[in-house]
């Protein structure tokens, strides 16, 4: 079996790197351990390289449609489809997705899609019945499946996860510190302002809030800095993978406070289709707190691996933090054990086996 994954996200230093970019890479890397797998994406220049067994093919975009990094225009990448058995596209609403689906089906290939939200303002599927051509949609959460157009409801399946449980794991030699952790992009819909408000209400001077992530909205970042004035809050923007892993392992709790309606009143229909941060933290044995926005509640065992709280509420976050930080060492250890148990069924090993079953059952 030869599998080609196509992710339209523009691969350059200015791209918005989040779950929609990480998911196809991590899925393709896991699949590459068992079958011939290629990941296709786009940038200004042609590049070809490997990450382990995974082949990466970057094709030059002739232009960015309406200037959007999420909607590049290219044609040369279509050659990668010819020898493939399975085409897996990681966005519904881009021109390169539409072209790939049309070409693959014309060649008699099986075509799957996992949508990560977003896309371009101009797409071919607005005029043509392209969605009918997809073999199946594979959603990473029940929320993600329900978000898809109606035509995918009957030919959609949910495969939740995944997480590399060998990489993300506890380190018994690293002691827990009095730290509350956030890991993710610094954008308004991430709800970080409510986390800072909750941390202030918590009123625990012995704890530090550590916010790790790249700045994508300078105005919002400056607002957060002002909001954190007088608190023990540290912003870290250049953490590498090893530092993030260490932070997960040493934190007492990780919080992902995303919201549908942000501080500015802007509405986001898909703030989180999964939430890698939640899985990574739990895999490291660190309990989590998330809001009830998007799909996050599907990836936390409320009351056993952490808490799911009301969104847009610093008070709710403070209450959940207080509950976790007040736990006895024995009770906290139970949460840690539940975290590790909970992520087992969300591992990439489990996820890729389900993907193989779908790919083969559609032959």
């Amino acid at each position: 079996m030869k599998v080609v994954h196509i992710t339209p996200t523009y691969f350059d230093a200015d791209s918005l790197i989040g779950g929609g970019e990480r998911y196809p890479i991590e899925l393709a890397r896991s699949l590459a351990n068992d079958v011939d797998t290629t990941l296709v994406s786009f940038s200004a220049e042609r590049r070809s390289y490997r990450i382990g067994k995974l082949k990466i093919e970057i094709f030059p975009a002739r232009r960015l449609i309406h200037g959007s990094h999420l909607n590049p225009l290219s044609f040369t990448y279509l050659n990668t489809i010819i020898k493939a058995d399975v085409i897996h596209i990681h966005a519904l609403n881009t021109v390169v997705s539409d072209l790939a689906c049309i070409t693959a089906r014309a060649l008699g290939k099986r075509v799957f899609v996992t949508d990560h939200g977003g896309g371009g303002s101009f797409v071919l599927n607005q005029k043509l019945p392209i969605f009918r051509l997809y073999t199946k949609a594979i959603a990473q959460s029940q929320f993600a499946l329900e978000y898809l157009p109606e035509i995918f409801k009957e030919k959609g399946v949910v495969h939740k996860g995944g997480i590399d449980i060998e990489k993300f794991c506890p380190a018994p030699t690293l002691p827990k510190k009095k730290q509350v952790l956030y890991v993710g992009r610094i954008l308004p819909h991430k709800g970080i302002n409510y986390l800072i408000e909750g941390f202030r209400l918590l009123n625990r001077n012995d704890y530090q809030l550590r916010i790790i992530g790249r700045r994508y909205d300078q105005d919002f970042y400056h607002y957060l800095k002002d909001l954190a004035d007088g608190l023990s809050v540290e912003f870290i923007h250049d953490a590498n993978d090893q530092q993030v892993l260490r932070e997960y392992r040493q934190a007492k709790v990780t919080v992902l406070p995303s919201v549908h309606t942000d501080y500015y009143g802007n509405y986001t229909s898909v703030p989180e289709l999964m939430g890698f941060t939640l899985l990574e933290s739990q895999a490291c044995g660190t309990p989590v707190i998330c809001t009830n926005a998007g799909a996050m509640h599907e990836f936390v065992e409320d009351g056993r691996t952490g808490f799911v709280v009301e969104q847009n509420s610093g008070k709710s976050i403070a209450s959940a933090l207080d509950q976790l930080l007040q736990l006895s060492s024995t009770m906290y250890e139970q949460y840690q054990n539940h975290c590790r148990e909970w992520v087992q069924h969300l591992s990439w090993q489990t996820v890729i086996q389900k993907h193989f079953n779908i790919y083969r059952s559609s032959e």
Side-chain angles (χ1 to χ4, degrees):
M1 179 187 294
K2 180 176 175 58
V3 182
V4 171
H5 289 261
I6 299 173
T7 176
T9 302
Y10 198 69
F11 267 43
D12 70 1
D14 296 324
S15 293
L16 293 178
I17 305 302
E21 292 70 47
R22 291 180 57 199
Y23 186 95
I25 295 173
E26 296 300 328
L27 174 61
R29 286 178 66 176
S30 299
L31 288 168
N33 291 323
D34 296 299
V35 296
D36 186 347
T37 306
T38 301
L39 179 75
V40 172
S41 195
F42 309 90
S43 187
E45 299 177 353
R46 180 76 170 95
R47 286 182 285 157
S48 182
Y49 56 97
R50 284 183 178 268
I51 300 178
K53 295 181 180 180
L54 174 65
K55 289 176 285 188
I56 307 286
E57 299 290 348
I58 307 297
F59 290 87
R62 297 183 63 179
R63 59 174 295 193
L64 300 176
I65 300 173
H66 295 168
S68 173
H69 284 72
L70 300 179
N71 201 14
L73 179 63
S74 179
F75 298 100
T76 52
Y77 75 101
L78 294 171
N79 289 330
T80 62
I81 293 174
I82 296 174
K83 294 183 179 181
D85 301 302
V86 171
I87 311 300
H88 193 147
I89 297 168
H90 289 271
L92 270 178
N93 293 305
T94 73
V95 171
V96 289
S97 301
D98 291 336
L99 291 174
C101 183
I102 293 171
T103 303
R105 290 315 299 262
L107 294 172
K109 313 291 184 179
R110 287 161 279 155
V111 190
F112 301 85
V113 63
T114 298
D115 190 43
H116 302 282
S121 56
F122 173 82
V123 287
L124 302 180
N125 64 58
Q126 292 174 340
K127 302 292 184 181
L128 302 172
I130 295 173
F131 291 167
R132 296 179 184 177
L133 301 178
Y134 284 102
T135 307
K136 275 190 180 297
I138 304 175
Q140 63 276 55
S141 63
Q142 188 63 40
F143 177 85
L145 178 62
E146 293 170 359
Y147 178 75
L148 291 173
E150 190 64 32
I151 193 171
F152 290 105
K153 296 300 189 289
E154 294 183 1
K155 56 179 180 180
V157 295
V158 177
H159 292 332
K160 294 183 180 181
I163 176 68
D164 184 342
I165 58 176
E166 294 183 0
K167 174 182 177 181
F168 292 95
C169 59
T173 58
L174 287 178
K176 287 291 185 182
K177 295 183 177 180
K178 290 187 174 183
Q179 294 174 347
V180 176
L181 180 66
Y182 166 87
V183 176
R185 294 173 292 168
I186 297 182
L187 286 167
H189 78 270
K190 290 294 186 177
I192 307 167
N193 52 304
Y194 298 106
L195 170 56
I196 295 174
E197 289 177 9
F199 187 67
R200 184 180 292 278
L201 290 170
L202 180 67
N203 195 27
R204 289 289 299 266
N205 295 329
D206 54 332
Y207 271 82
Q208 181 186 52
L209 171 60
R210 297 172 68 80
I211 297 174
I212 298 179
R214 291 172 61 181
R215 293 166 289 185
Y216 290 102
D217 187 310
Q218 289 297 327
D219 290 340
F220 184 62
Y221 172 65
H222 291 307
Y223 166 65
L224 295 179
K225 293 281 285 186
D226 290 340
L227 196 63
D229 185 48
L231 297 175
S232 180
V233 177
E234 182 175 0
F235 291 84
I236 303 169
H237 309 298
D238 56 354
N240 58 28
D241 290 347
Q242 284 303 310
Q243 181 177 351
V244 171
L245 180 59
R246 186 170 63 251
E247 295 284 351
Y248 278 133
R249 288 169 168 171
Q250 293 189 303
K252 287 283 286 188
V253 57
T254 301
V255 185
L256 189 55
S258 300
V259 296
H260 283 281
T261 303
D262 66 28
Y263 166 74
Y264 300 105
N266 299 317
Y267 181 78
T268 302
S269 57
V270 285
E272 301 289 348
L273 288 172
M274 189 170 74
F276 271 113
T277 297
L278 301 174
L279 298 183
E280 291 168 353
S281 180
Q282 290 172 100
C284 290
T286 298
V288 295
I289 296 169
C290 72
T291 66
N292 56 3
M296 292 188 291
H297 69 279
E298 299 181 42
F299 297 92
V300 177
E301 194 171 13
D302 192 26
R304 287 174 60 84
T305 68
F307 295 104
V308 179
V309 303
E310 180 185 354
Q311 60 186 292
N312 301 96
S313 173
K315 183 178 180 180
S316 295
I317 292 173
S319 176
L321 282 171
D322 187 57
Q323 283 184 262
L324 279 174
L325 301 186
Q326 293 285 358
L327 290 174
S328 67
S329 58
T330 300
M331 288 295 296
Y332 183 79
E333 187 175 344
Q334 289 182 13
Y335 270 80
Q336 290 183 287
N337 292 335
H338 288 319
C339 283
R340 283 294 294 171
E341 294 168 1
W342 170 249
V343 296
Q344 296 301 311
H345 77 286
L346 299 167
S347 71
W348 279 122
Q349 183 177 2
T350 301
V351 171
I352 63 171
Q353 187 56 57
K354 291 179 178 179
H355 275 71
F356 281 140
N357 293 340
I358 289 294
Y359 291 160
R360 292 175 178 135
S361 67
S362 303
E363 292 179 352

